[in-house]
Amino acid sequence: MTQQNPLSVQALQWTGDSLKVLDQRQLPDTIAYDDYQDAAGVFDAIVTMRVRGAPAIGIAAAYGVVLSAQQHLAADPQHWQAKVRTDIDKLAQSRPTAVNLFWALERMKALLAQPLENPLAELTACAEHIHADDIAANRLMGEVGADLLQGAKGVLTHCNTGALATGGYGTALGVIRSAYRRKPLSVFAGETRPWLQGARLTVWELAQDNIPATLIADSAAAWLMQTGAIDWIIVGADRIAANGDTANKIGTYSLAVLAKHHGVNFMVVAPTSTIDFTIDSGKQIAIEERNASELLPAAYLKGGSIVSAWNPVFDVTPASLITAIVTERGIVLNPAEQGVRGLS
Ligand code: MRU
């Protein structure tokens, strides 16, 4: 199914008996939704990056559990719970770094373990709550994050953290949206190699909202900071450890190091579903490595080539380089001092 010019960007649309997923691999050229009716399809949509971004992955997985229940309850009323649990285990293997995936699946699994009068209605309500809560958290974080930006003339963001990466509105991009509505400021976006979430998604998403953005090559970030054009770097997160260390898209750590050198503030915006209170530091975060083909020109992929590629797609920024972590439960300034445990 193909749609043109949506009024607002929606990565995920729940229809009641299927999940429509905007294929982000085709943006910005084509707006096309794929329709999934089972957990295996949702697993595939996450693995292939049709849907991406930590909160959006968690929400998609929650709906995947509902689809699994719809399928197995009808086909095998005796053993349906065990089959749904198998699908949950499979969904948990789709991507390793974003903790929102495991957080959402745990919530669905805990509900499944309860005696349910109307399992489909209750599982659906839980997935819809996860989705709605994420949008509400983003709107709240947008406002409190914008408070921090008062007087800022320019910001740089990395990857895509907008409606495409979340239930709606966005985390870091939500703060930029809210701040821009209060008072226009210069917005720069790094292209985010190798998958180009910044170039293909962020500037497109901002354009849908009539927010002008300037794209830069990732390698131009230091020079941009040197010009004095930006006061803040604003990013999202895939997993935040209890001490405030933050895993996010590869390149975030470099930006934080550069920000320190140039006296630029560094803000992380993420709902508390992105905080992994079970780990003490970023050293315990599994970093996803994707296929070399995402980096290497095809000529080097042929057998016999001695050229290889290392493609980690996240890195960990130490809390000591972060000025503020903004969540829906409050802001932690200088997280290196006491971490984010107080938000649990
Ligand atoms: O590999 P991706 O595109 O799923 O990575 C997304 C990011 O790293 C985002 O910055 C992060 O999930 C925060 S999005 C609200």
Side-chain angles (χ1 to χ4, degrees), residues 120-171:
L120 288 184
E122 290 171 61
L123 288 165
T124 304
C126 186
E128 287 177 335
H129 265 133
I130 289 172
H131 194 170
D133 287 352
D134 186 64
I135 298 171
N138 289 340
R139 293 209 171 260
L140 193 59
M141 295 187 298
E143 293 308 312
V144 294
D147 289 345
L148 286 179
L149 290 186
Q150 270 173 29
K153 54 189 181 310
V155 297
L156 168 66
T157 190
H158 189 56
C159 194
N160 171 266
T161 63
L164 290 168
T166 63
Y169 202 67
T171 56

Side-chain angles (χ1 to χ4, degrees), residues 49 158 191-200 218 249-251 290-296 310-314:
M49 306 264 292
H158 189 56
E191 59 181 350
T192 318
R193 286 194 172 266
W195 213 75
L196 299 177
Q197 287 94 332
R200 294 190 305 101
D218 296 324
K249 179 53 55 192
I250 191 77
R290 292 184 71 87
N291 207 298
S293 63
E294 291 182 352
L295 275 180
L296 279 179
W310 179 50
N311 188 18
V313 297
F314 299 100

